Amino acid sequence: MTSAFAPGKIILFGEHAVVYGRPALAVPVTQVHADVEVLDSSKDGIWIDAPDIHLHAELNSLLPDHPLAAVISNFFTPLSSLHPAKRGMEGQRGVEIKISSTIPVASGLGSGAAVSVALIRALSSHLDHPMTNEQLNALAYEIEKIHHGTPSGIDNTVITYAKPVYFVKGHLIETFKVGKPFTIVIGDTGISAPTKEAVGDVHVLWEADKARWEKVFDKIGEIVKKAKEKIENGESEELGELMNQNHSLLQEMTVSSPELDRLVNAALKAGALGAKMSGGGRGGNMIALVKPETAEAVSRLLKEAGAKNTIITSIHP
Ligand code: PMV
């Protein structure tokens, strides 16, 4: 039996504008994770057991664009030509793949990318086919296209490398230093919202008035650069105002929602230094920058304001 896991992630700054080439900052969130076990099986075929999504099926019974089927097929296809001895998927010895995840689906914490990364890692280790992080990241990115349509690649990158990432689409991975630890509270609206739709709606806005939205994306890009500098210099308390500014721009892009705004306002009222939605928006999660001693109080007030769940996490050097 072989097992592997991958963490969740949260975008600190720059979502949506990152699809248009601006930078974004994201960090792994280890309190939530996807876990995969691969076992040899006496049954023929490749069996997938994912109780969280009520799935127990043989690979060939799934549609080819089912994300789990696509991860597995994309993993095996190059094997058959590169390593005939490993036989690719045809004639593959029977295996059972058990998938579980504590990452809420479609909520901005990278559930799809984490499952892909954990699954590829577990298969590569079980079938003795070592892969570099770069290869793994590229495979996971292909699956993100099924989940998201036109993904920037930020989710799979942060999750594969499990490091803070300053991400620019199409560029080599760049991580950033954390000058001084800081604490954020993540609040979940409990509303699943497909990133694909929010990204599609922003695209419609952009098509209709490119000059206006390019300016908005530029402003977000500037916020991201300032935020990176503050984090690296250990001036994280000053990130609060930048979060508030980023949230206003996301509201202007129509990707926030009444529920997200309610949680953002509740966090600010509870003493957070700043707050914003995170990820695709329209639901999913928001984040609040807090002094460590107020984290519990902010978390409690977020729940009173309707958060289905909260996570207190600290970003370390
Ligand atoms: O997967 P989510 O919901 O965290 O959103 C990803 C961030 C977006 O910028 C909205 C989309 C993308 O591909 O970068």
Side-chain angles (χ1 to χ4, degrees):
M1 196 260 290
T2 315
S3 59
F5 90 103
K9 73 98 207 6
I10 196 90
I11 296 180
L12 298 178
F13 291 95
E15 50 277 273
H16 285 287
V18 69
V19 176
Y20 297 81
R22 276 38 167 217
L25 295 175
V27 291
V29 176
T30 50
Q31 283 95 335
V32 286
H33 40 87
D35 298 270
V36 175
E37 282 177 14
V38 183
L39 306 96
D40 282 333
S41 165
S42 52
K43 283 194 285 187
D44 281 343
I46 296 173
W47 286 84
I48 304 162
D49 194 18
D52 299 336
I53 53 167
H54 309 289
L55 178 75
H56 182 73
E58 207 285 317
L59 177 69
N60 290 317
S61 70
L62 298 178
L63 290 173
D65 65 351
H66 187 292
L68 294 177
V71 177
I72 298 167
S73 312
N74 288 4
F75 174 83
F76 279 111
T77 307
L79 276 194
S80 54
S81 53
L82 289 174
H83 301 285
K86 288 184 182 156
R87 288 180 300 177
M89 199 155 49
E90 284 305 311
Q92 166 63 43
R93 68 188 196 236
V95 287
E96 189 174 344
I97 300 170
K98 294 186 174 172
I99 301 172
S100 62
S101 171
T102 57
I103 310 175
V105 174
S107 66
L109 289 175
S111 66
V115 167
S116 297
V117 169
L119 180 49
I120 299 164
R121 278 218 172 102
L123 285 171
S124 102
S125 144
H126 193 77
L127 298 171
D128 202 16
H129 175 65
M131 290 175 89
T132 62
N133 276 340
E134 205 180 340
Q135 290 169 320
L136 198 161
N137 195 25
L139 252 183
Y141 179 61
E142 289 308 307
I143 311 307
E144 285 296 280
K145 291 183 188 165
I146 301 177
H147 286 294
H148 287 345
T150 53
S152 61
I154 189 168
D155 284 19
N156 48 284
T157 303
V158 179
I159 288 169
T160 298
Y161 291 88
K163 283 184 183 152
V165 168
Y166 175 80
F167 182 85
V168 183
K169 190 177 168 181
H171 287 212
L172 287 177
I173 175 179
E174 189 179 327
T175 152
F176 59 91
K177 288 202 293 285
V178 179
K180 202 174 90 187
F182 59 96
T183 305
I184 59 171
V185 183
I186 304 173
D188 190 351
T189 60
I191 298 167
S192 308
T195 299
K196 208 173 184 165
E197 277 174 26
V199 169
D201 290 350
V202 172
H203 191 77
V204 171
L205 291 176
W206 177 79
E207 281 286 1
D209 190 348
K210 290 187 186 155
R212 171 178 175 195
W213 295 105
E214 286 293 329
K215 274 190 208 138
V216 171
F217 300 152
D218 280 343
K219 282 188 198 162
I220 294 179
E222 287 310 312
I223 290 173
V224 172
K225 286 181 199 156
K226 277 189 206 156
K228 176 174 178 268
E229 216 178 285
K230 304 247 173 253
I231 294 173
E232 291 188 325
N233 294 341
E235 298 161 348
S236 45
E237 291 195 356
E238 291 171 39
L239 294 174
E241 181 47 33
L242 294 172
M243 281 189 181
N244 297 341
Q245 289 171 14
N246 196 163
H247 185 67
S248 297
L249 293 165
L250 289 160
Q251 283 176 317
E252 194 179 332
M253 286 159 69
T254 76
V255 290
S256 192
S257 69
E259 296 81 7
L260 281 165
D261 290 344
R262 189 165 64 232
L263 295 188
V264 163
N265 292 332
L268 294 174
K269 248 173 118 176
L273 303 167
K276 64 181 275 292
M277 56 155 273
S278 176
R282 300 270 166 80
N285 281 274
M286 49 70 69
I287 55 174
L289 177 76
V290 296
K291 293 193 175 150
E293 60 274 22
T294 64
E296 288 294 345
V298 171
S299 161
R300 199 175 52 249
L301 286 163
L302 280 173
K303 284 191 177 144
E304 279 173 27
K308 293 292 170 298
N309 192 24
T310 59
I311 298 171
I312 299 173
T313 188
S314 122
I315 321 296
H316 288 287

